[in-house]
Amino acid sequence: MNEKHLTYADSGVDIKEEEKTVKTLIDKLSYVRKGIGAPLTGIGHYAGLLDFGEYTLAMTTDGVGSKVLIANEMQRWNTVGIDCIAMNVNDLLAIGAEPVAFVDYLALEKHEEGFAAQIGEGLLKGAEISRMSIVGGETATLPDIIKGFDLAGTCLGFVKKEDAIEGEKVQVGDVLVGIPSTGVHSNGYTLVRKIIEESGYSYHDPCPYDSSKTIGDDLLEPTRIYIEVLDVLKACEVHGLAHITGSGLLKLRRVTKLGFDFYDPLEPQEIFKLLQKEGGVEDLEMYRTFNMGMGFLIILPEKDAAKAAEITGGKIVGKIVERGIKVKDLVIEKE
């Protein structure tokens, strides 16, 4: 095990400082619209919810982050469009909304032959999986600001007001169904890159656990889009939903103040084990930074848990308790 014990903060991303910045920004956003389009919740859930008569409109915005730097290194950009859509759509799904439309924002240092076609290929694939339209976007050439490129987007979804899943029904004894991720997804890549760059590996080296692909290939595996959650909502009584992204399991506080006991967690993929070994990252830091093999979580009564697991390819990983967040014997958040 590496003796350095790298952390997300060491790589330049301090989650606590980021939270302070977000709170400072939110504190300034005091104006709210009335009537149609009025916000139905405060800022801070997975999606912003707006009044639209019998429906709730839901909006999300997100980007791919520093994963794009690995795409540049590998000279392969046909998956990051999927990531961009996935990060937005999965947040919509986490409040029970169905995605309907997407707009993207592509900022470039310069234009290169073939690059835009690969970006478009990924966006198209993500839209098809999500069963929604891309209705527009913006491309900006900003050589004085952007080095390489940045890709982000905004997604619109809808749900009937009475069907929105905000977490208020979550109760002690509810079952946790975890759905596997496809790997690192699109979070924590500042730490990922620091680990790889300080290790003896390069992105072009074969994976030590699978020589048929490179480390870069595995890190570019696109974020899974959990569109089958909509099928679970039709078939089961769902009390809560969570998209596991940056800050790992700490984001569960968006759903409920009750506790989470992950007594049988999903097995993290080999890429997480490599990153932990090469960076000397402690278990707690891993679970507070990455999804650790679980990209989405469904909270529901025990009677529907097996059905939800069957629909999604997931499994029962734990239960709701009074306080705290725990993975086996590892305390993520104290009671």
Side-chain angles (χ1 to χ4, degrees):
M1 181 73 75
N2 191 317
E3 294 182 1
K4 285 187 176 181
H5 299 300
L6 288 176
T7 67
Y8 207 7
D10 290 335
S11 68
V13 180
D14 189 317
I15 292 172
K16 292 181 179 178
E17 289 300 317
E18 188 175 275
E19 288 174 349
K20 289 180 184 177
T21 299
V22 171
K23 185 181 185 305
T24 301
L25 178 60
I26 290 173
D27 287 345
K28 295 296 182 182
L29 306 178
S30 59
Y31 175 80
V32 293
R33 178 186 170 92
K34 307 297 183 183
I36 292 294
L40 296 175
T41 60
I43 297 172
H45 212 300
Y46 282 101
L49 304 182
L50 308 174
D51 188 351
F52 208 72
E54 68 174 301
Y55 288 96
T56 294
L57 292 184
M59 293 184 67
T60 59
T61 189
D62 206 344
V64 182
S66 64
K67 188 174 185 175
V68 301
L69 297 175
I70 298 177
N72 285 340
E73 173 66 26
M74 300 299 291
Q75 292 288 286
R76 182 158 66 83
W77 303 284
N78 63 342
T79 60
V80 291
I82 302 175
D83 289 303
C84 186
I85 286 182
M87 296 305 293
N88 283 279
V89 166
N90 289 341
D91 277 357
L92 281 184
L93 294 170
I95 56 94
E98 179 177 348
V100 291
F102 187 85
V103 293
D104 65 274
Y105 173 72
L106 177 61
L108 298 163
E109 178 182 8
K110 61 183 179 180
H111 295 268
E112 295 185 30
E113 186 72 28
F115 168 78
Q118 288 197 38
I119 295 293
E121 180 184 335
L123 289 171
L124 173 62
K125 182 66 174 177
E128 289 175 342
I129 296 170
S130 306
R131 305 196 291 266
M132 69 175 182
S133 306
I134 297 178
V135 295
E138 173 70 12
T139 300
T141 307
L142 304 167
D144 294 330
I145 300 174
I146 299 295
K147 301 305 175 188
F149 77 100
D150 188 27
L151 179 64
T154 297
C155 196
L156 177 68
F158 76 100
V159 60
K160 283 193 172 181
K161 278 182 177 173
E162 64 268 23
D163 294 334
I165 308 292
E166 297 180 51
E168 73 279 359
K169 295 181 181 178
V170 174
Q171 56 189 308
V172 172
D174 278 350
V175 172
L176 309 176
V177 172
I179 314 176
S181 66
T182 49
V184 184
H185 281 184
S186 298
N187 298 103
Y189 274 80
T190 302
L191 177 56
V192 167
R193 292 184 299 105
K194 185 174 183 65
I195 291 171
I196 296 300
E197 289 162 12
E198 291 190 2
S199 73
Y201 292 104
S202 82
Y203 299 117
H204 301 279
D205 288 335
C207 291
Y209 47 84
D210 183 355
S211 60
S212 69
K213 58 184 177 181
T214 66
I215 291 172
D217 290 334
D218 210 359
L219 290 171
L220 286 180
E221 185 69 29
T223 306
R224 178 173 170 177
I225 297 174
Y226 295 94
I227 198 68
E228 62 272 30
V229 167
L230 296 177
D231 298 324
V232 175
L233 293 173
K234 293 174 184 176
C236 304
E237 177 189 342
V238 175
H239 290 173
L241 299 162
H243 179 202
I244 312 302
T245 59
S247 304
L249 297 180
L250 296 178
K251 287 278 179 70
L252 294 175
R253 284 290 162 250
R254 290 181 172 187
V255 180
T256 180
K257 298 301 182 185
L258 292 172
F260 295 78
D261 180 9
F262 294 94
Y263 55 77
D264 188 20
L266 292 169
E267 180 72 16
Q269 289 89 350
E270 291 295 328
I271 186 65
F272 292 110
K273 299 173 185 178
L274 175 66
L275 292 170
Q276 183 168 22
K277 178 174 182 276
E278 291 301 318
V281 185
E282 296 182 349
D283 289 343
L284 183 60
E285 186 72 12
M286 292 295 291
Y287 277 97
R288 286 184 169 181
T289 304
F290 301 114
N291 68 64
M292 294 302 283
M294 182 178 70
F296 208 91
L297 183 69
I298 303 174
I299 307 167
L300 71 178
E302 185 176 4
K303 65 181 178 64
D304 285 335
K307 186 185 297 183
E310 181 182 0
I311 292 171
T312 60
K315 76 165 191 173
I316 294 172
V317 294
K319 63 182 178 180
I320 294 290
V321 293
E322 290 285 354
R323 292 178 297 276
I325 302 175
K326 187 170 68 171
V327 179
K328 290 189 174 179
D329 295 326
L330 180 67
V331 177
I332 308 300
E333 181 184 85
K334 293 181 180 180
E335 297 183 0

